[in-house]
Amino acid sequence: GDSVTQMEGPVTLSEEAFLTINCTYTATGYPSLFWYVQYPGEGLQLLLKATKADDKGSNKGFEATYRKETTSFHLEKGSVQVSDSAVYFCALLTLDGYQKVTFGIGTKLQVIP
Amino acid sequence: DTAVSQTPKYLVTQMGNDKSIKCEQNLGHDTMYWYKQDSKKFLKIMFSYNNKELIINETVPNRFSPKSPDKAHLNLHINSLELGDSAVYFCASSDWGSGNTIYFGEGSWLTVV
């Protein structure tokens, strides 16, 4: 079945450091890929998405590129801020008779001043 | 206006009770979901409805029964609550189709004591 493998956290970085959160997937067909963010005590918000190979999703300084050859969708940001502290979920959406989103385990990011 | 709203946000109840969580979306979507997030932040799909029809029913105890009176509503009823049901339950909605974003509600924090 479909699966998403995401690096386990927590990840602790200093402000302005470079962020990478790795995400790889296994899926049949051609899934769409997403990154969601969950701030403390809140629901999930879409951060960015990519729907086909080589697409780059970007938002709020975060980027991720859909790499079909390596089945990856790594999240990057050049300079993190304290306000980026949250849990980040990589997810894939397949449409094979029914629509289903599969999430990774979530990576907690803590940015310290 | 909140796109996906669920009530109550917090619910503390005793073992053995029956409770319901309500969800409404005003996005005009045709597909709605219930997800469960455990204490380790792991997200797992429970149910998915498309145009009021049950599409996905993962391995969930039959004490959990979803009800979709119309496309804009998907309620979750839980009978005979157990301690292990304590979790955050997220409602979500989307349009059917590859690449469409799933929008989440803010979550309902259920604590069974």
Side-chain angles (χ1 to χ4, degrees), chain A residues 81-110:
Chain A
Q81 306 300 314
V82 172
S83 57
D84 294 327
S85 298
V87 181
Y88 292 82
F89 292 90
C90 185
L92 67 84
L93 169 67
T94 54
L95 186 61
D96 294 319
Y98 58 90
Q99 183 157 293
K100 180 177 178 181
V101 176
T102 302
F103 285 89
I105 60 172
T107 301
K108 183 175 181 178
L109 170 66
Q110 184 175 6

PDB file of all heavy atoms in Angstrom, chain A residues 81-110:
ATOM      1  N   GLN A  81      12.645  30.860  11.219  1.00  0.00           N
ATOM      2  CA  GLN A  81      12.319  31.814  12.275  1.00  0.00           C
ATOM      3  C   GLN A  81      11.672  31.068  13.438  1.00  0.00           C
ATOM      4  O   GLN A  81      11.169  29.952  13.269  1.00  0.00           O
ATOM      5  CB  GLN A  81      11.350  32.871  11.743  1.00  0.00           C
ATOM      6  CG  GLN A  81      11.839  33.584  10.491  1.00  0.00           C
ATOM      7  CD  GLN A  81      13.142  34.312  10.737  1.00  0.00           C
ATOM      8  OE1 GLN A  81      13.295  35.013  11.741  1.00  0.00           O
ATOM      9  NE2 GLN A  81      14.099  34.137   9.833  1.00  0.00           N
ATOM     10  N   VAL A  82      11.651  31.731  14.587  1.00  0.00           N
ATOM     11  CA  VAL A  82      11.015  31.115  15.763  1.00  0.00           C
ATOM     12  C   VAL A  82       9.565  30.764  15.460  1.00  0.00           C
ATOM     13  O   VAL A  82       9.051  29.726  15.905  1.00  0.00           O
ATOM     14  CB  VAL A  82      11.117  32.055  16.979  1.00  0.00           C
ATOM     15  CG1 VAL A  82      10.292  31.515  18.137  1.00  0.00           C
ATOM     16  CG2 VAL A  82      12.568  32.242  17.398  1.00  0.00           C
ATOM     17  N   SER A  83       8.910  31.596  14.671  1.00  0.00           N
ATOM     18  CA  SER A  83       7.493  31.375  14.342  1.00  0.00           C
ATOM     19  C   SER A  83       7.274  30.147  13.455  1.00  0.00           C
ATOM     20  O   SER A  83       6.124  29.742  13.236  1.00  0.00           O
ATOM     21  CB  SER A  83       6.912  32.603  13.645  1.00  0.00           C
ATOM     22  OG  SER A  83       7.658  32.905  12.489  1.00  0.00           O
ATOM     23  N   ASP A  84       8.341  29.560  12.936  1.00  0.00           N
ATOM     24  CA  ASP A  84       8.211  28.325  12.137  1.00  0.00           C
ATOM     25  C   ASP A  84       8.127  27.078  13.014  1.00  0.00           C
ATOM     26  O   ASP A  84       7.923  25.970  12.491  1.00  0.00           O
ATOM     27  CB  ASP A  84       9.412  28.183  11.182  1.00  0.00           C
ATOM     28  CG  ASP A  84       9.439  29.257  10.116  1.00  0.00           C
ATOM     29  OD1 ASP A  84       8.354  29.689   9.682  1.00  0.00           O
ATOM     30  OD2 ASP A  84      10.550  29.672   9.732  1.00  0.00           O
ATOM     31  N   SER A  85       8.285  27.234  14.301  1.00  0.00           N
ATOM     32  CA  SER A  85       8.210  26.094  15.209  1.00  0.00           C
ATOM     33  C   SER A  85       6.826  25.459  15.115  1.00  0.00           C
ATOM     34  O   SER A  85       5.808  26.120  15.357  1.00  0.00           O
ATOM     35  CB  SER A  85       8.480  26.532  16.646  1.00  0.00           C
ATOM     36  OG  SER A  85       9.788  27.072  16.763  1.00  0.00           O
ATOM     37  N   ALA A  86       6.781  24.195  14.757  1.00  0.00           N
ATOM     38  CA  ALA A  86       5.517  23.506  14.502  1.00  0.00           C
ATOM     39  C   ALA A  86       5.839  22.048  14.178  1.00  0.00           C
ATOM     40  O   ALA A  86       6.998  21.641  14.178  1.00  0.00           O
ATOM     41  CB  ALA A  86       4.771  24.141  13.325  1.00  0.00           C
ATOM     42  N   VAL A  87       4.787  21.291  13.894  1.00  0.00           N
ATOM     43  CA  VAL A  87       4.965  19.925  13.403  1.00  0.00           C
ATOM     44  C   VAL A  87       4.655  19.927  11.910  1.00  0.00           C
ATOM     45  O   VAL A  87       3.619  20.462  11.494  1.00  0.00           O
ATOM     46  CB  VAL A  87       4.050  18.931  14.145  1.00  0.00           C
ATOM     47  CG1 VAL A  87       4.285  17.514  13.607  1.00  0.00           C
ATOM     48  CG2 VAL A  87       4.311  18.970  15.639  1.00  0.00           C
ATOM     49  N   TYR A  88       5.516  19.328  11.117  1.00  0.00           N
ATOM     50  CA  TYR A  88       5.384  19.310   9.666  1.00  0.00           C
ATOM     51  C   TYR A  88       5.087  17.889   9.194  1.00  0.00           C
ATOM     52  O   TYR A  88       5.782  16.941   9.558  1.00  0.00           O
ATOM     53  CB  TYR A  88       6.662  19.844   9.009  1.00  0.00           C
ATOM     54  CG  TYR A  88       6.855  21.312   9.280  1.00  0.00           C
ATOM     55  CD1 TYR A  88       7.433  21.748  10.486  1.00  0.00           C
ATOM     56  CD2 TYR A  88       6.446  22.277   8.367  1.00  0.00           C
ATOM     57  CE1 TYR A  88       7.576  23.097  10.761  1.00  0.00           C
ATOM     58  CE2 TYR A  88       6.600  23.634   8.637  1.00  0.00           C
ATOM     59  CZ  TYR A  88       7.159  24.032   9.836  1.00  0.00           C
ATOM     60  OH  TYR A  88       7.298  25.370  10.107  1.00  0.00           O
ATOM     61  N   PHE A  89       4.045  17.779   8.379  1.00  0.00           N
ATOM     62  CA  PHE A  89       3.608  16.477   7.874  1.00  0.00           C
ATOM     63  C   PHE A  89       3.765  16.421   6.367  1.00  0.00           C
ATOM     64  O   PHE A  89       3.248  17.284   5.652  1.00  0.00           O
ATOM     65  CB  PHE A  89       2.132  16.231   8.205  1.00  0.00           C
ATOM     66  CG  PHE A  89       1.833  16.058   9.662  1.00  0.00           C
ATOM     67  CD1 PHE A  89       1.514  17.154  10.446  1.00  0.00           C
ATOM     68  CD2 PHE A  89       1.853  14.795  10.251  1.00  0.00           C
ATOM     69  CE1 PHE A  89       1.233  16.999  11.791  1.00  0.00           C
ATOM     70  CE2 PHE A  89       1.566  14.633  11.594  1.00  0.00           C
ATOM     71  CZ  PHE A  89       1.257  15.734  12.367  1.00  0.00           C
ATOM     72  N   CYS A  90       4.441  15.392   5.910  1.00  0.00           N
ATOM     73  CA  CYS A  90       4.483  15.098   4.485  1.00  0.00           C
ATOM     74  C   CYS A  90       3.301  14.175   4.178  1.00  0.00           C
ATOM     75  O   CYS A  90       2.955  13.312   5.003  1.00  0.00           O
ATOM     76  CB  CYS A  90       5.802  14.413   4.150  1.00  0.00           C
ATOM     77  SG  CYS A  90       6.075  14.095   2.404  1.00  0.00           S
ATOM     78  N   ALA A  91       2.675  14.353   3.030  1.00  0.00           N
ATOM     79  CA  ALA A  91       1.499  13.540   2.717  1.00  0.00           C
ATOM     80  C   ALA A  91       1.399  13.303   1.220  1.00  0.00           C
ATOM     81  O   ALA A  91       1.900  14.083   0.416  1.00  0.00           O
ATOM     82  CB  ALA A  91       0.229  14.237   3.214  1.00  0.00           C
ATOM     83  N   LEU A  92       0.754  12.204   0.871  1.00  0.00           N
ATOM     84  CA  LEU A  92       0.493  11.949  -0.542  1.00  0.00           C
ATOM     85  C   LEU A  92      -0.976  11.637  -0.739  1.00  0.00           C
ATOM     86  O   LEU A  92      -1.647  11.101   0.140  1.00  0.00           O
ATOM     87  CB  LEU A  92       1.382  10.824  -1.073  1.00  0.00           C
ATOM     88  CG  LEU A  92       1.212   9.389  -0.578  1.00  0.00           C
ATOM     89  CD1 LEU A  92       0.109   8.658  -1.337  1.00  0.00           C
ATOM     90  CD2 LEU A  92       2.513   8.629  -0.774  1.00  0.00           C
ATOM     91  N   LEU A  93      -1.451  11.972  -1.932  1.00  0.00           N
ATOM     92  CA  LEU A  93      -2.845  11.741  -2.302  1.00  0.00           C
ATOM     93  C   LEU A  93      -2.870  10.872  -3.537  1.00  0.00           C
ATOM     94  O   LEU A  93      -2.255  11.196  -4.548  1.00  0.00           O
ATOM     95  CB  LEU A  93      -3.536  13.071  -2.598  1.00  0.00           C
ATOM     96  CG  LEU A  93      -4.913  13.006  -3.256  1.00  0.00           C
ATOM     97  CD1 LEU A  93      -5.928  12.400  -2.317  1.00  0.00           C
ATOM     98  CD2 LEU A  93      -5.361  14.408  -3.676  1.00  0.00           C
ATOM     99  N   THR A  94      -3.566   9.760  -3.426  1.00  0.00           N
ATOM    100  CA  THR A  94      -3.752   8.905  -4.588  1.00  0.00           C
ATOM    101  C   THR A  94      -5.222   8.848  -4.945  1.00  0.00           C
ATOM    102  O   THR A  94      -6.094   9.009  -4.094  1.00  0.00           O
ATOM    103  CB  THR A  94      -3.242   7.472  -4.325  1.00  0.00           C
ATOM    104  OG1 THR A  94      -3.877   6.982  -3.139  1.00  0.00           O
ATOM    105  CG2 THR A  94      -1.746   7.452  -4.137  1.00  0.00           C
ATOM    106  N   LEU A  95      -5.483   8.595  -6.194  1.00  0.00           N
ATOM    107  CA  LEU A  95      -6.860   8.505  -6.659  1.00  0.00           C
ATOM    108  C   LEU A  95      -6.966   7.237  -7.493  1.00  0.00           C
ATOM    109  O   LEU A  95      -6.811   7.244  -8.696  1.00  0.00           O
ATOM    110  CB  LEU A  95      -7.216   9.734  -7.492  1.00  0.00           C
ATOM    111  CG  LEU A  95      -8.675   9.850  -7.945  1.00  0.00           C
ATOM    112  CD1 LEU A  95      -9.598   9.919  -6.753  1.00  0.00           C
ATOM    113  CD2 LEU A  95      -8.852  11.061  -8.833  1.00  0.00           C
ATOM    114  N   ASP A  96      -7.157   6.133  -6.809  1.00  0.00           N
ATOM    115  CA  ASP A  96      -7.271   4.834  -7.476  1.00  0.00           C
ATOM    116  C   ASP A  96      -8.615   4.236  -7.121  1.00  0.00           C
ATOM    117  O   ASP A  96      -8.697   3.279  -6.366  1.00  0.00           O
ATOM    118  CB  ASP A  96      -6.144   3.899  -7.017  1.00  0.00           C
ATOM    119  CG  ASP A  96      -4.789   4.414  -7.463  1.00  0.00           C
ATOM    120  OD1 ASP A  96      -4.707   4.890  -8.602  1.00  0.00           O
ATOM    121  OD2 ASP A  96      -3.835   4.341  -6.669  1.00  0.00           O
ATOM    122  N   GLY A  97      -9.677   4.836  -7.611  1.00  0.00           N
ATOM    123  CA  GLY A  97     -11.001   4.334  -7.270  1.00  0.00           C
ATOM    124  C   GLY A  97     -11.555   5.044  -6.055  1.00  0.00           C
ATOM    125  O   GLY A  97     -12.756   5.205  -5.907  1.00  0.00           O
ATOM    126  N   TYR A  98     -10.696   5.454  -5.159  1.00  0.00           N
ATOM    127  CA  TYR A  98     -11.126   6.288  -4.058  1.00  0.00           C
ATOM    128  C   TYR A  98     -10.002   7.242  -3.719  1.00  0.00           C
ATOM    129  O   TYR A  98      -8.857   7.013  -4.067  1.00  0.00           O
ATOM    130  CB  TYR A  98     -11.534   5.462  -2.836  1.00  0.00           C
ATOM    131  CG  TYR A  98     -10.461   4.557  -2.305  1.00  0.00           C
ATOM    132  CD1 TYR A  98      -9.559   4.984  -1.345  1.00  0.00           C
ATOM    133  CD2 TYR A  98     -10.361   3.232  -2.752  1.00  0.00           C
ATOM    134  CE1 TYR A  98      -8.577   4.155  -0.856  1.00  0.00           C
ATOM    135  CE2 TYR A  98      -9.379   2.400  -2.262  1.00  0.00           C
ATOM    136  CZ  TYR A  98      -8.507   2.862  -1.315  1.00  0.00           C
ATOM    137  OH  TYR A  98      -7.533   2.033  -0.841  1.00  0.00           O
ATOM    138  N   GLN A  99     -10.337   8.298  -3.074  1.00  0.00           N
ATOM    139  CA  GLN A  99      -9.379   9.362  -2.790  1.00  0.00           C
ATOM    140  C   GLN A  99      -8.896   9.207  -1.352  1.00  0.00           C
ATOM    141  O   GLN A  99      -9.679   9.177  -0.432  1.00  0.00           O
ATOM    142  CB  GLN A  99     -10.066  10.713  -2.986  1.00  0.00           C
ATOM    143  CG  GLN A  99      -9.148  11.888  -2.793  1.00  0.00           C
ATOM    144  CD  GLN A  99      -9.689  13.106  -3.512  1.00  0.00           C
ATOM    145  OE1 GLN A  99      -9.758  13.160  -4.723  1.00  0.00           O
ATOM    146  NE2 GLN A  99     -10.075  14.104  -2.736  1.00  0.00           N
ATOM    147  N   LYS A 100      -7.574   9.118  -1.201  1.00  0.00           N
ATOM    148  CA  LYS A 100      -7.056   8.869   0.135  1.00  0.00           C
ATOM    149  C   LYS A 100      -5.756   9.626   0.322  1.00  0.00           C
ATOM    150  O   LYS A 100      -4.889   9.608  -0.544  1.00  0.00           O
ATOM    151  CB  LYS A 100      -6.804   7.372   0.308  1.00  0.00           C
ATOM    152  CG  LYS A 100      -6.264   6.971   1.656  1.00  0.00           C
ATOM    153  CD  LYS A 100      -6.115   5.467   1.745  1.00  0.00           C
ATOM    154  CE  LYS A 100      -5.526   5.059   3.077  1.00  0.00           C
ATOM    155  NZ  LYS A 100      -5.363   3.593   3.163  1.00  0.00           N
ATOM    156  N   VAL A 101      -5.639  10.280   1.437  1.00  0.00           N
ATOM    157  CA  VAL A 101      -4.399  10.955   1.793  1.00  0.00           C
ATOM    158  C   VAL A 101      -3.697  10.131   2.862  1.00  0.00           C
ATOM    159  O   VAL A 101      -4.305   9.754   3.860  1.00  0.00           O
ATOM    160  CB  VAL A 101      -4.662  12.377   2.330  1.00  0.00           C
ATOM    161  CG1 VAL A 101      -3.356  13.006   2.787  1.00  0.00           C
ATOM    162  CG2 VAL A 101      -5.289  13.231   1.250  1.00  0.00           C
ATOM    163  N   THR A 102      -2.435   9.848   2.616  1.00  0.00           N
ATOM    164  CA  THR A 102      -1.613   9.127   3.573  1.00  0.00           C
ATOM    165  C   THR A 102      -0.576  10.099   4.125  1.00  0.00           C
ATOM    166  O   THR A 102       0.118  10.767   3.360  1.00  0.00           O
ATOM    167  CB  THR A 102      -0.912   7.938   2.900  1.00  0.00           C
ATOM    168  OG1 THR A 102      -1.908   7.074   2.336  1.00  0.00           O
ATOM    169  CG2 THR A 102      -0.086   7.154   3.907  1.00  0.00           C
ATOM    170  N   PHE A 103      -0.476  10.145   5.447  1.00  0.00           N
ATOM    171  CA  PHE A 103       0.439  11.078   6.093  1.00  0.00           C
ATOM    172  C   PHE A 103       1.687  10.372   6.613  1.00  0.00           C
ATOM    173  O   PHE A 103       1.641   9.203   7.007  1.00  0.00           O
ATOM    174  CB  PHE A 103      -0.251  11.755   7.286  1.00  0.00           C
ATOM    175  CG  PHE A 103      -1.239  12.807   6.894  1.00  0.00           C
ATOM    176  CD1 PHE A 103      -2.560  12.474   6.661  1.00  0.00           C
ATOM    177  CD2 PHE A 103      -0.848  14.127   6.769  1.00  0.00           C
ATOM    178  CE1 PHE A 103      -3.480  13.447   6.299  1.00  0.00           C
ATOM    179  CE2 PHE A 103      -1.759  15.106   6.412  1.00  0.00           C
ATOM    180  CZ  PHE A 103      -3.076  14.763   6.181  1.00  0.00           C
ATOM    181  N   GLY A 104       2.792  11.123   6.657  1.00  0.00           N
ATOM    182  CA  GLY A 104       3.964  10.681   7.390  1.00  0.00           C
ATOM    183  C   GLY A 104       3.735  10.889   8.884  1.00  0.00           C
ATOM    184  O   GLY A 104       2.686  11.387   9.300  1.00  0.00           O
ATOM    185  N   ILE A 105       4.727  10.525   9.682  1.00  0.00           N
ATOM    186  CA  ILE A 105       4.558  10.553  11.136  1.00  0.00           C
ATOM    187  C   ILE A 105       4.641  11.957  11.708  1.00  0.00           C
ATOM    188  O   ILE A 105       4.322  12.168  12.872  1.00  0.00           O
ATOM    189  CB  ILE A 105       5.602   9.670  11.843  1.00  0.00           C
ATOM    190  CG1 ILE A 105       7.020  10.155  11.512  1.00  0.00           C
ATOM    191  CG2 ILE A 105       5.406   8.213  11.468  1.00  0.00           C
ATOM    192  CD1 ILE A 105       8.086   9.448  12.329  1.00  0.00           C
ATOM    193  N   GLY A 106       5.061  12.922  10.910  1.00  0.00           N
ATOM    194  CA  GLY A 106       5.207  14.295  11.404  1.00  0.00           C
ATOM    195  C   GLY A 106       6.583  14.519  11.993  1.00  0.00           C
ATOM    196  O   GLY A 106       7.126  13.646  12.685  1.00  0.00           O
ATOM    197  N   THR A 107       7.145  15.680  11.716  1.00  0.00           N
ATOM    198  CA  THR A 107       8.442  16.063  12.252  1.00  0.00           C
ATOM    199  C   THR A 107       8.282  17.355  13.019  1.00  0.00           C
ATOM    200  O   THR A 107       7.839  18.368  12.461  1.00  0.00           O
ATOM    201  CB  THR A 107       9.478  16.272  11.131  1.00  0.00           C
ATOM    202  OG1 THR A 107       9.620  15.073  10.379  1.00  0.00           O
ATOM    203  CG2 THR A 107      10.832  16.677  11.704  1.00  0.00           C
ATOM    204  N   LYS A 108       8.615  17.298  14.293  1.00  0.00           N
ATOM    205  CA  LYS A 108       8.497  18.497  15.121  1.00  0.00           C
ATOM    206  C   LYS A 108       9.733  19.351  14.938  1.00  0.00           C
ATOM    207  O   LYS A 108      10.865  18.870  15.082  1.00  0.00           O
ATOM    208  CB  LYS A 108       8.332  18.125  16.589  1.00  0.00           C
ATOM    209  CG  LYS A 108       8.119  19.332  17.495  1.00  0.00           C
ATOM    210  CD  LYS A 108       7.842  18.913  18.922  1.00  0.00           C
ATOM    211  CE  LYS A 108       7.597  20.129  19.806  1.00  0.00           C
ATOM    212  NZ  LYS A 108       7.281  19.745  21.209  1.00  0.00           N
ATOM    213  N   LEU A 109       9.515  20.614  14.607  1.00  0.00           N
ATOM    214  CA  LEU A 109      10.605  21.573  14.451  1.00  0.00           C
ATOM    215  C   LEU A 109      10.538  22.584  15.572  1.00  0.00           C
ATOM    216  O   LEU A 109       9.493  23.181  15.818  1.00  0.00           O
ATOM    217  CB  LEU A 109      10.491  22.302  13.104  1.00  0.00           C
ATOM    218  CG  LEU A 109      11.426  23.500  12.920  1.00  0.00           C
ATOM    219  CD1 LEU A 109      12.880  23.050  12.879  1.00  0.00           C
ATOM    220  CD2 LEU A 109      11.071  24.280  11.653  1.00  0.00           C
ATOM    221  N   GLN A 110      11.665  22.760  16.236  1.00  0.00           N
ATOM    222  CA  GLN A 110      11.761  23.793  17.265  1.00  0.00           C
ATOM    223  C   GLN A 110      12.883  24.740  16.873  1.00  0.00           C
ATOM    224  O   GLN A 110      14.024  24.308  16.686  1.00  0.00           O
ATOM    225  CB  GLN A 110      12.043  23.180  18.634  1.00  0.00           C
ATOM    226  CG  GLN A 110      12.051  24.196  19.752  1.00  0.00           C
ATOM    227  CD  GLN A 110      12.217  23.562  21.125  1.00  0.00           C
ATOM    228  OE1 GLN A 110      12.442  22.362  21.233  1.00  0.00           O
ATOM    229  NE2 GLN A 110      12.107  24.352  22.156  1.00  0.00           N
TER     230      GLN A 110
END
